[in-house]
Amino acid sequence: MDFDLIIVGGGLAGASLAVALQGTRYRIGLVETRPPVLAEGWDPRVYAVSPICAAFLREIGVWQHLDLGRIAPVHAMSIRGDAGGQLEFDAYDSGLSELAWTVEAGRIHRELWETVKRQHNVTILTGCSPDELIHGADSQTIVLSDGRRAHCRLLIGADGANSWVRERAGIRADSKPYGERGVVGNFRCEKDHRNRAFQWFRDDGILALLPLPQQMVSMVWSCEDDKAEELLGLESAELARRVAEAAGDALGRLEPVTPAVGFPLRFMRVESVVKPRLALVGDAAHAIHPLSGHGINLGFQDAKQLADILRALPPWRDPGDLAVLRGYARARAEEPWLLQYTTHGLNRLFGSRNPLVSMLRNVGLNLTDRVPVVRDVLVHYATSGRF
């Protein structure tokens, strides 16, 4: 099998890249062992999609096919420190219609996958996994577990934080577990959230509540492993009570809608996102703490940037040329680095038990809240991905 591009991994970054290249001259192979299956009910894992990424998904024809009854805009956000510090963001005050959109992970993945399946320039390779990678001067070859061989001019690793492509390509990744897990779940709330998101920096972790339709919220409680085990071991009603208490009853009594699940958190930075005839996108290229809510947006921006570069190439230009791929690497160097180290620093800052550090971080929140110019710059970056 011969392709121009092979994408390993049909998750959000890989699938959105394939969709962004629909209608182009590129013949694309998409390797995905397990296609997504849309579960019944609400998905406990929810993404906060930035306006610029929502615009990208609209541009490639995906956003407008999502069920609007399952999406909620975020019009405002309240951040609370552990000793009285507070920071408020408001879309209206910053001249925006919304700060973000909350979307179920499964819904957006399924819509991307259905769009990929309709593409004439994509061949989906499922039910198998990549077994061997053979580097060549003019091509990359993947040997699949069913014995088939697939050749391409450009191989794209979109296969997550434990990327097979990255490992086989010999790209070193500096990965440091936080010793924490993100505990997620959905709740129906007694009080109207008014499309406001909440985040509390607490002694026992970072608790966030994101607005969902039907007077529901999605919880992400990032905490140390022992605390996560405790939360995941609670009966659903008791967990709802504990979350409501930790939130200071900001939304009144909570009623569980989905079971809670947990996933490990880690910081990961790779030495390079490109090599000759190879590029990494999404979690294969970077992993950040979820306190910023930008992990999925980084993946979409990776896909958009790489697709824009490939679409602009003249027909005679080789998409696997290292000079082409270095353009992608340069374009995507600043944003992931900035978010990774900002979120890593904030996590360490609010994880400190030192009383002096506690005072300084809460004063910092209050000062930022009192300086509209600084606050608006932060809002602008959160919504556009650029300063």
Side-chain angles (χ1 to χ4, degrees):
M1 297 179 289
D2 293 308
F3 301 99
D4 296 302
L5 319 174
I6 292 178
I7 302 171
V8 177
L12 296 180
S16 62
L17 174 59
V19 175
L21 292 170
Q22 60 187 318
T24 65
R25 66 183 181 277
Y26 297 111
R27 295 162 298 150
I28 302 171
L30 178 59
V31 180
E32 175 53 61
T33 306
R34 294 181 294 275
V37 176
L38 188 61
E40 294 294 327
W42 287 84
D43 191 332
R45 191 158 189 179
V46 170
Y47 293 126
V49 179
S50 70
I52 194 172
C53 289
F56 165 60
L57 294 172
R58 189 176 294 109
E59 177 186 324
I60 65 176
V62 171
W63 187 263
Q64 48 269 51
H65 295 294
L66 296 172
D67 183 353
L68 295 179
R70 310 281 293 222
I71 300 174
V74 180
H75 290 148
M77 184 170 186
S78 297
I79 300 176
R80 298 289 182 266
D82 56 345
Q86 62 181 49
L87 183 58
E88 300 286 339
F89 295 112
D90 186 277
Y92 179 80
D93 289 345
S94 299
L96 301 168
S97 56
E98 64 279 322
L99 299 176
W101 298 89
T102 51
V103 188
E104 294 164 273
R107 295 271 164 179
I108 199 167
H109 192 186
R110 182 65 177 177
E111 186 55 46
L112 279 166
W113 188 257
E114 290 300 316
T115 306
V116 168
K117 286 165 58 177
R118 295 192 293 267
Q119 284 185 233
H120 297 300
N121 66 329
V122 174
T123 299
I124 298 176
L125 306 170
T126 62
C128 58
S129 58
D131 266 1
E132 186 180 356
L133 175 60
I134 302 171
H135 303 279
D138 299 319
S139 68
Q140 299 268 29
T141 299
I142 287 185
V143 181
L144 300 174
S145 57
D146 59 9
R148 289 181 293 174
R149 289 179 172 239
H151 314 279
C152 64
R153 293 191 289 166
L154 173 59
L155 176 64
I156 299 162
D159 48 344
N162 298 315
S163 172
W164 177 89
V165 171
R166 189 184 66 233
E167 187 270 330
R168 289 304 176 97
I171 297 177
R172 186 175 60 83
D174 179 16
S175 181
K176 297 178 181 178
Y178 280 111
E180 299 176 358
R181 271 185 273 179
V183 179
V184 300
N186 298 334
F187 301 90
R188 185 163 283 106
C189 44
E190 180 182 15
K191 299 177 184 177
D192 189 351
H193 53 59
R194 300 182 184 275
N195 294 100
R196 178 179 292 273
F198 299 86
Q199 190 170 51
W200 292 268
F201 288 89
R202 296 168 44 85
D203 285 342
D204 57 0
I206 302 166
L207 172 64
L209 296 178
L210 303 175
L212 287 174
Q214 303 177 25
Q215 203 161 312
M216 294 194 302
V217 290
S218 173
M219 172 200 72
V220 183
W221 196 331
S222 305
C223 52
E224 294 180 354
D225 288 333
D226 289 346
K227 177 70 175 182
E229 285 287 348
E230 177 191 347
L231 294 174
L232 291 168
L234 296 174
E235 295 290 333
S236 56
E238 176 59 18
L239 176 62
R241 189 194 67 78
R242 292 276 292 274
V243 174
E245 180 181 50
D249 291 318
L251 295 173
R253 187 173 59 84
L254 300 180
E255 176 187 330
V257 175
T258 65
V261 295
F263 55 94
L265 306 179
R266 63 175 169 172
F267 172 94
M268 186 193 73
R269 187 157 181 81
V270 302
E271 62 179 346
S272 176
V273 297
V274 299
K275 290 188 75 170
R277 305 205 171 277
L278 185 144
L280 302 176
V281 298
D283 288 348
H286 38 66
I288 67 173
H289 198 281
L291 70 87
S292 74
H294 265 280
I296 187 58
N297 295 307
L298 287 179
F300 284 141
Q301 288 295 90
D302 290 347
K304 182 183 188 309
Q305 186 67 55
L306 185 55
D308 287 347
I309 288 172
L310 294 175
R311 292 179 75 100
L313 289 181
W316 53 266
R317 193 73 188 268
D318 184 348
D321 187 338
L322 185 57
V324 171
L325 300 178
R326 281 175 174 159
Y328 161 71
R330 285 192 300 270
R332 295 302 297 147
E334 181 181 2
E335 184 188 6
W337 183 91
L338 182 64
L339 277 175
Q340 281 182 318
Y341 285 99
T342 299
T343 54
H344 180 75
L346 284 172
N347 183 57
R348 289 294 177 256
L349 176 65
F350 279 89
S352 173
R353 301 294 186 264
N354 187 306
L356 178 60
V357 174
S358 176
M359 180 189 73
L360 290 174
R361 66 197 176 206
N362 284 278
V363 167
L365 283 177
N366 288 328
L367 284 175
T368 302
D369 193 50
R370 288 170 171 77
V371 182
V373 173
V374 175
R375 190 176 62 239
D376 288 347
V377 167
L378 293 174
V379 171
H380 179 74
Y381 180 79
T383 54
S384 71
R386 296 177 178 87
F387 281 113

